[in-house]
Amino acid sequence: MNKQDVIAFFDRLAPQWDEDMIRDDGIIGKILDEGQVTAGKEVLDVACGTGVLFPDYLKREVGSLTGIDISPEMVKIAREKFPQVEICCGDVEHADFGKQFDCVVVYNAFPHFLNPEQLIESLSKLLKPGGTLTVAHGMSRAEIDHHHEGAASKVSVGLMHEDALASIFEKHLTVTTKISDSQMYIVSGRKDL
């Protein structure tokens, strides 16, 4: 898997991304609750795609919302839908936002990153002290892996066991949530004050 393949894959899917999206508002609510996404917080949505979670953040009256995605076509659609949101096209591991965030969320995207250790280290540096990093999926680990067996097999890796991901988090953060069940996958951690 390489980043250019990931970009090409998601650029191809961007036009129909929203119509193919399956949402469960209860699961998304739980993910954002565990990620401490509340009113006034500065939020970074990593691999934001077309802005799938932007309405959820805005409903929670976050203080600021920034999205980043590596796919130019996903970013183009997100910017058209949400002109009020700051959306960057680029690789989050090398992006300079000029600030830190209260909440960093990676939703339904983690298996598409090449180096989980490097990603978590990079994202933890983007957190303010007391901030929360959340890696989450709106389905089980087995469902995600099955979903990625087809066309996405060349641009994804198996979803890491929650204990393994929590071990990576612990190098940089205090793990606050670890859930992996038939409905969702969430690992969250807080940056020490």
Side-chain angles (χ1 to χ4, degrees):
M1 175 171 72
N2 70 58
K3 289 183 182 181
Q4 290 307 314
D5 289 343
V6 172
I7 293 168
F9 179 82
F10 285 103
D11 277 353
R12 262 193 325 276
L13 293 181
Q16 74 269 6
W17 192 255
D18 288 344
E19 60 195 58
D20 293 343
M21 185 55 51
I22 298 170
R23 280 183 57 101
D24 184 312
D25 290 342
I27 291 172
I28 289 171
K30 172 75 171 166
I31 289 167
L32 298 185
D33 287 347
E34 295 299 332
Q36 304 296 308
V37 177
T38 56
K41 297 278 182 83
E42 292 185 82
V43 176
L44 173 64
D45 185 327
V46 175
C48 66
T50 59
V52 170
L53 292 185
F54 289 179
D56 303 282
Y57 299 127
L58 296 171
K59 196 181 306 177
R60 289 175 178 240
E61 300 179 348
V62 298
S64 73
L65 175 56
T66 304
I68 186 168
D69 200 284
I70 202 166
S71 161
E73 292 302 314
M74 290 284 193
V75 168
K76 178 181 167 194
I77 293 168
R79 286 179 176 155
E80 290 168 1
K81 289 168 48 184
F82 301 98
Q84 75 276 35
V85 176
E86 181 183 339
I87 306 167
C88 309
C89 185
D91 182 345
V92 72
E93 293 177 83
H94 303 289
D96 180 6
F97 297 97
K99 65 177 183 177
Q100 291 180 308
F101 300 89
D102 298 301
C103 305
V104 175
V105 178
V106 184
Y107 174 69
N108 283 359
F110 190 67
H112 303 293
F113 286 90
L114 302 172
N115 186 331
E117 297 243 5
Q118 182 179 321
L119 177 66
I120 299 307
E121 180 179 359
S122 296
L123 297 181
S124 66
K125 291 176 183 174
L126 294 173
L127 287 174
K128 294 178 183 178
T132 304
L133 168 62
T134 303
V135 172
H137 286 271
M139 57 178 71
S140 72
R141 192 160 50 90
E143 287 173 310
I144 287 289
D145 287 347
H146 178 70
H147 178 72
H148 288 159
E149 285 175 355
S153 65
K154 290 187 168 85
V155 294
S156 62
V157 294
L159 182 57
M160 182 176 287
H161 190 281
E162 62 278 9
D163 291 336
L165 182 54
S167 293
I168 295 172
F169 267 56
E170 287 170 352
K171 296 175 183 177
H172 311 282
L173 308 164
T174 300
V175 174
T176 54
T177 305
K178 186 174 63 170
I179 299 171
S180 183
D181 60 25
S182 62
Q183 294 186 305
M184 69 189 85
Y185 174 100
I186 309 171
V187 177
S188 290
R190 184 182 61 252
K191 188 172 188 173
D192 291 334
L193 294 170

